[in-house]
Amino acid sequence: MQGFSLIPAFKGLRHFATTTMRRAVSEFQMTVPWGEVRGQVWGPAHGRPVLCLHGWADNSGTFNRLIPLLPNDWRFVAIDFAGHGLSSHRAAGCFYLFTLYVADVRRVVEALQWKRFSIIGHSMGGNVAGMFSALYPEMVESLVILDSYGFFPTKMNSIMDYMQQGIDQIVQYEKESDERTEKVYTYENAKQRLMAANRFLTEESADILLERAVREVEGGVVFNRDFRINLRNIAMVTLEQSLYMQSKIQARVMLLKASQGFDKQFPFHYGYADTLQKGWLEQKATIVDIEGDHHVHLNNPEMVAPIITDFLQSHSTDQAKIDSEGQTAKL
């Protein structure tokens, strides 16, 4: 089993002093075959375990403003996915397959020795959480999906075209690797680039993500993320597969849908959103519509923190009642 360690929190560059942390945080560090997975940890060692999974091209900093508003006695571990934040890039020649992110989650919880836990996943992280919860239903107690549907289906007749695109893209990327150099930015230019790519980020939110998104070099900063995360994913699932996996999830599920979020930024075609939402409702999931954008949990965490707390605490109350009734029945 791979081990992990906690080290003093990453201090970042001097530009990042604007970040306000209201709770002590430690740096998570875990060895994997291609390097290490990094992340952040809040809360007591034996607190209720909650794994936090960020969205595509983000990092664990996306939870820096939300977690301090959640219960202090819970144990939060927020990881940087491979190729994101401070985690290592995948080995040369590797694709960034969606299923590999799911496998990485399995590695992390094995190292943490968590047998049962809850997950909070944003965007891509919510989709990773959905697939993990289907594959390991006995491990996931509760699932909170932030502005996502838990799965991202692809139309069957598009899959082969997308696979070809992804393969061609990585072949071209590897042909040009000797000529590629890292672009150096001033900190302010890096922030403007990040905000241009994600129009929902406030300046404060961009500063928070940049703590783990860039590193200092001579003349400025460079982005940490692996460019290969931008290439087409070639491991896709259909709507039928998504619905089947959805049906296998045993966890209590809550979807938080932002009014100006996923549906506006990444409009679903072919009726997938409605079909997936219907599937969740059939499984008694809780669906909450909130005012905000795709990064509402980072820009306005006070909007979602009470909802998440109530949902997860209600499960604790229900489970305690079940356990108590079960113990009474045995007497």
Side-chain angles (χ1 to χ4, degrees):
M1 181 185 71
Q2 298 286 352
F4 72 94
S5 62
L6 298 180
I7 59 179
F10 180 69
K11 300 301 182 183
L13 307 177
R14 59 186 176 86
H15 305 280
F16 305 146
T18 54
T19 302
T20 300
M21 297 303 299
R22 292 167 50 192
R23 289 175 59 180
V25 57
S26 299
E27 183 74 7
F28 175 85
Q29 188 173 23
M30 171 188 161
T31 301
V32 289
W34 62 91
E36 61 183 16
V37 169
R38 296 282 290 272
Q40 301 180 87
V41 181
W42 294 259
H46 298 292
R48 177 178 180 171
V50 182
L51 186 67
C52 301
L53 305 176
H54 66 77
W56 174 79
D58 287 346
N59 55 64
S60 62
T62 196
F63 298 105
N64 279 16
R65 298 188 68 213
L66 173 63
I67 290 175
L69 301 181
L70 301 179
N72 292 333
D73 57 345
W74 294 358
R75 178 72 159 183
F76 298 94
V77 175
I79 64 169
D80 296 337
F81 281 122
H84 296 71
L86 301 181
S87 288
S88 299
H89 297 184
R90 296 205 186 278
C94 288
F95 289 85
Y96 278 84
L97 303 181
F98 188 82
T99 47
L100 292 185
Y101 292 130
V102 179
D104 294 344
V105 170
R106 183 65 183 87
R107 290 184 173 98
V108 168
V109 296
E110 181 72 12
L112 291 168
Q113 299 184 49
W114 286 0
K115 303 302 181 185
R116 191 162 172 79
F117 55 95
S118 297
I119 305 178
I120 300 174
H122 172 240
S123 195
M124 182 186 81
N127 297 337
V128 172
M131 185 176 289
F132 182 92
S133 299
L135 291 171
Y136 299 97
E138 72 286 352
M139 298 185 76
V140 183
E141 181 178 74
S142 297
L143 173 59
V144 175
I145 300 174
L146 299 175
D147 209 39
S148 174
Y149 288 95
F151 298 93
F152 196 93
T154 301
K155 196 172 181 180
M156 175 66 80
N157 61 12
S158 299
I159 287 180
M160 290 182 64
D161 288 340
Y162 289 158
M163 289 179 67
Q164 184 184 54
Q165 288 175 24
I167 293 170
D168 289 346
Q169 285 173 357
I170 201 165
V171 168
Q172 186 63 30
Y173 174 85
E174 290 167 352
K175 282 175 61 177
E176 298 171 354
S177 60
D178 292 339
E179 305 167 10
R180 192 175 295 107
T181 58
E182 291 183 312
K183 187 171 181 179
V184 179
Y185 298 85
T186 66
Y187 177 79
E188 286 302 319
N189 284 344
K191 182 162 72 170
Q192 290 306 312
R193 181 189 175 195
L194 181 62
M195 294 179 69
N198 188 337
R199 61 186 177 88
F200 295 112
L201 292 178
T202 64
E203 287 207 26
E204 181 182 3
S205 295
D207 283 328
I208 290 171
L209 290 178
L210 284 173
E211 290 184 18
R212 306 178 74 84
V214 298
R215 66 184 185 278
E216 198 166 16
V217 297
E218 184 177 355
V221 299
V222 296
F223 281 93
N224 291 329
R225 73 177 63 141
D226 190 338
F227 180 84
R228 290 177 294 171
I229 69 170
N230 297 300
L231 305 183
R232 172 73 71 177
N233 170 44
I234 65 169
M236 291 156 285
V237 294
T238 64
L239 179 60
E240 183 180 22
Q241 290 171 313
S242 297
L243 292 172
Y244 178 76
M245 287 188 285
Q246 186 185 58
S247 73
K248 295 298 181 181
I249 295 175
Q250 298 175 10
R252 290 174 73 253
V253 179
M254 179 172 70
L255 272 64
L256 286 175
K257 295 175 57 185
S259 60
Q260 300 301 312
F262 190 88
D263 288 340
K264 300 282 186 179
Q265 188 175 11
F266 309 107
F268 255 92
H269 300 292
Y270 322 121
Y272 287 174
D274 290 342
T275 305
L276 286 171
Q277 182 165 299
K278 180 182 177 183
W280 285 124
L281 291 173
E282 289 174 353
Q283 291 190 233
K284 312 301 182 184
T286 300
I287 300 178
V288 181
D289 293 309
I290 56 173
E291 289 297 319
D293 55 43
H294 190 54
H295 280 73
V296 62
H297 66 289
L298 175 59
N299 293 331
N300 304 104
E302 68 281 355
M303 296 286 293
V304 299
I307 301 171
I308 293 173
T309 298
D310 288 348
F311 176 75
L312 294 181
Q313 284 184 333
S314 69
H315 178 76
S316 295
T317 302
D318 293 345
Q319 189 61 49
K321 182 178 179 181
I322 292 171
D323 292 343
S324 175
E325 290 173 348
Q327 290 171 2
T328 301
K330 292 178 183 178
L331 293 178

